[in-house]
Amino acid sequence: MLRTHYSNQISPDMDGETVTVAGWVYELRDFGGVKFIILRDRQGYIQIVIPRKRVSEDVLETFGKLTKESVVSVSGTVKKSDKAKAGFEILPEKIEVLNLAETPLPMDVSGKIESEMDTRLDNRFIDLRQDKVRAIFMLRDLFLTGIRNFMKENQFVEINTPKIAAAGAEGGASLFPVQYFDQWAFLTQSPQLYKQMLMASSLDKVFEIGPAFRAEPSDTSRHLSEFTSFDFEMAYISDYNDVMDLAENMLVETLKYVKKNGKPWLEILERDIEIPKTPFPRIKFEDAKGMLESDGRRVGNDLSTEDEKALGKIMAEKGHIAYFITDYPEEEKPFYIMENDENPGYSFAIDLDYYGEELASGGQREHRYNRLVSRMKKKNLDPKNFEFYLKAFKYGMPPHGGVGLGFERMVMKALNLKNIREVVLFPRDQWRLVP
Ligand code: ATP
Ligand code: MG
């Protein structure tokens, strides 16, 4: 290997030991008699000290050729030093240039000059060399681990469903068509139909973390045409409260996991993660509407983005950053949501809102074949196109429910970032297909 140690694996008490470190040239400082290279690797920074009289001609010559962001491997001796930030520096015996970077760089890496979002995304590989950007993706990784740990501790099975399918679950307008041999298919908007079909199998608690595609022409800071959906579905629920219990615990436990394990990255970002107060309030749609109307707003049959924001403010004043809105008018919710027969016109749909924005949607599903078919018809969908799905409801389908949660929205909101593009490596939107 071209390195024996990452920067964080070296300490002052290793004084005198020989190590090989590798990374990018972050800074070059030349004071004549003594020169410095600040080397950056995945874990941090290392100071390489080059006193003219104590290093070889080769080392001095190589220093003269170096450009910022070049890739080097440095072998040398660890020297304890009170002047160096890390408490040690490295006196090089050999500097090997592995790859020389061109100048000028397409963007600043030090974080001192702020670049436009487009410039950053066009040069994402360099953008990711910035501490704050790297921190976001290290934290994102922890969010994934946190979710997986929690779901597995609760006996959920991780699944992967197809992303190319014949029918869309969430309505036709936002489908991306793909040429599939001699017919048309679509990129899936969510794993909805597949995770539900599995409720009729022996895998009666499942979750998936995977891509979802929506042809969203809207230009917002929280929509992308490809996002990561975290979905779960669970059978044998008593009612939608079981689904809310699971979603609530998942969010709280995941946030706790990231807060505990992501300290160094959160420090770099200068962020703390707030753990939402439990239990999350469960507010019926009509009550939410009432709260908003007594606040002077006029609310329709669904909550607009502005309504959600306003409700977020009201709830924050009561000390709640996360809460459920339940019992939406059935008309506004997809065919697979169960209607509430005791309260006609309403459904067992739930949304989870977080900092005044929708984070997840779900509820109890309609598991009774005849009712499901009539709901489809009510929504002007042709049951013939859904035969593969409906079949699973004919031979033993238990009551079930679940949610679909926007994973990037969760990361973005938890870290108080303003744009969903901050938490996606190579975002896809109406205007962006490369890189
Ligand atoms: P919104 O009203 O915010 O556009 P939605 O109700 O259309 O969302 P759902 O079908 O309920 O979305 O999808 C479940 C979750 O997936 C949403 O709550 C949201 O967090 C996330 N999500 C939906 N569409 C997108 C998108 N285009 N980009 C990123 N995340 C999305
Ligand atoms: Mg929704």
Side-chain angles (χ1 to χ4, degrees):
M1 291 296 285
L2 296 166
R3 77 156 58 85
T4 57
H5 294 75
Y6 277 117
S7 53
N8 65 340
Q9 293 171 323
I10 307 173
S11 55
D13 58 18
M14 287 165 69
D15 186 73
E17 281 183 40
T18 306
V19 295
T20 302
V21 293
W24 289 267
V25 173
Y26 179 65
E27 260 184 56
L28 292 162
R29 292 178 196 149
D30 193 343
F31 300 110
V34 56
K35 306 171 202 301
F36 295 96
I37 301 171
I38 309 296
L39 192 72
R40 184 189 70 247
D41 67 13
R42 169 180 144 166
Q43 303 295 347
Y45 299 85
I46 312 165
Q47 179 163 302
I48 315 290
V49 59
I50 307 175
R52 201 167 56 198
K53 293 190 178 145
R54 290 174 60 197
V55 295
S56 67
E57 273 308 309
D58 270 1
V59 165
L60 288 174
E61 200 179 305
T62 308
F63 180 89
K65 283 191 293 199
L66 284 178
T67 54
K68 274 192 188 180
E69 294 304 308
S70 291
V71 179
V72 295
S73 171
V74 180
S75 303
T77 318
V78 178
K79 294 272 168 222
K80 198 173 162 201
S81 157
D82 295 336
K83 279 184 221 145
K85 228 186 196 171
F88 69 87
E89 53 194 9
I90 288 169
L91 182 68
E93 271 122 52
K94 191 178 156 208
I95 302 178
E96 192 181 345
V97 182
L98 302 170
N99 201 263
L100 204 60
E102 286 184 24
T103 54
L105 294 163
M107 61 174 284
D108 175 65
V109 183
S110 68
K112 284 169 199 147
I113 306 164
E114 213 171 299
S115 305
E116 292 284 332
M117 190 58 141
D118 273 330
T119 310
R120 290 179 45 205
L121 293 177
D122 287 343
N123 300 284
R124 195 55 142 168
F125 62 97
I126 294 193
D127 185 43
L128 281 158
R129 295 182 195 172
Q130 300 192 67
D131 290 341
K132 286 194 173 170
V133 180
R134 185 178 34 146
I136 292 173
F137 287 93
M138 297 306 284
L139 288 162
R140 183 188 154 115
D141 169 74
L142 289 175
F143 274 92
L144 288 172
T145 310
I147 294 179
R148 286 204 165 93
N149 288 351
F150 175 82
M151 296 310 280
K152 289 178 183 176
E153 274 160 23
N154 284 277
Q155 285 86 46
F156 279 75
V157 180
E158 183 163 6
I159 56 160
N160 299 96
T161 59
K163 301 305 155 205
I164 306 175
E170 317 291 337
S174 61
L175 284 167
F176 281 115
V178 282
Q179 176 99 53
Y180 192 70
F181 303 105
D182 57 357
Q183 59 174 316
W184 286 104
F186 301 99
L187 297 178
T188 49
Q189 299 151 305
S190 84
Q192 184 65 33
L193 305 181
Y194 293 94
K195 63 176 180 170
Q196 276 194 269
M197 282 154 72
L198 290 171
M199 294 303 97
S201 76
S202 55
L203 308 177
D204 62 7
K205 282 164 113 187
V206 299
F207 78 101
E208 175 166 14
I209 303 173
F213 304 91
R214 310 245 172 129
E216 304 267 10
S218 48
D219 225 341
T220 78
S221 57
R222 61 201 180 94
H223 289 95
L224 290 174
S225 30
E226 177 176 351
F227 68 97
T228 308
S229 187
F230 161 62
D231 278 83
F232 71 79
E233 201 69 22
M234 54 203 282
Y236 300 100
I237 58 169
S238 304
D239 57 43
Y240 61 3
N241 284 301
D242 292 334
V243 176
M244 285 189 269
D245 289 345
L246 202 286
E248 171 172 332
N249 290 335
M250 184 284 302
L251 181 61
V252 169
E253 292 309 314
T254 301
L255 293 173
K256 281 187 185 162
Y257 178 85
V258 178
K259 194 178 165 96
K260 180 168 170 234
N261 295 283
K263 281 199 183 97
W265 307 115
L266 288 167
E267 267 168 34
I268 290 174
L269 268 185
E270 295 164 27
R271 297 288 145 89
D272 189 21
I273 290 180
E274 189 180 351
I275 307 298
K277 216 198 269 174
T278 52
F280 296 179
R282 298 176 182 186
I283 312 161
K284 288 201 162 71
F285 172 80
E286 284 301 330
D287 296 333
K289 189 171 163 170
M291 284 160 76
L292 286 165
E293 285 178 343
S294 53
D295 205 40
R297 300 188 67 84
R298 285 186 57 193
V299 180
N301 228 0
D302 197 1
L303 299 183
S304 67
T305 305
E306 290 312 310
D307 294 335
E308 280 168 2
K309 278 208 179 96
L311 188 63
K313 260 196 194 141
I314 298 174
M315 293 307 291
E317 277 161 18
K318 298 183 188 206
H320 292 286
I321 55 169
Y323 46 90
F324 293 100
I325 305 160
T326 70
D327 299 76
Y328 279 85
E330 61 84 10
E331 211 178 80
E332 296 300 321
K333 290 292 173 181
F335 70 86
Y336 46 77
I337 288 286
M338 188 184 267
E339 292 177 15
N340 182 350
D341 291 338
E342 278 164 28
N343 193 6
Y346 293 88
S347 69
F348 293 118
I350 56 180
D351 266 16
L352 170 57
D353 280 26
Y354 184 39
Y355 289 111
E357 254 180 44
E358 178 187 324
L359 179 63
S361 285
Q364 175 156 12
R365 320 300 189 184
E366 182 52 77
H367 66 283
R368 298 160 298 183
Y369 179 83
N370 292 333
R371 292 290 298 265
L372 186 58
V373 170
S374 51
R375 231 180 116 65
M376 258 182 186
K377 288 182 180 158
K378 201 160 153 186
K379 301 266 167 196
N380 289 321
L381 292 166
D382 186 354
K384 268 205 209 92
N385 295 335
F386 292 88
E387 261 167 23
F388 69 96
Y389 164 77
L390 287 171
K391 205 160 135 190
F393 290 76
K394 284 195 206 170
Y395 307 99
M397 173 62 92
H400 63 276
V403 305
L405 177 149
F407 175 69
E408 284 91 5
R409 281 200 198 166
M410 174 181 185
V411 179
M412 165 174 82
K413 284 286 163 188
L415 300 180
N416 190 22
L417 299 167
K418 298 289 172 252
N419 193 323
I420 195 165
R421 289 159 186 80
E422 294 281 4
V423 302
V424 178
L425 285 173
F426 300 104
R428 291 287 176 264
D429 62 30
Q430 199 183 349
W431 315 110
R432 188 169 280 282
L433 194 52
V434 269

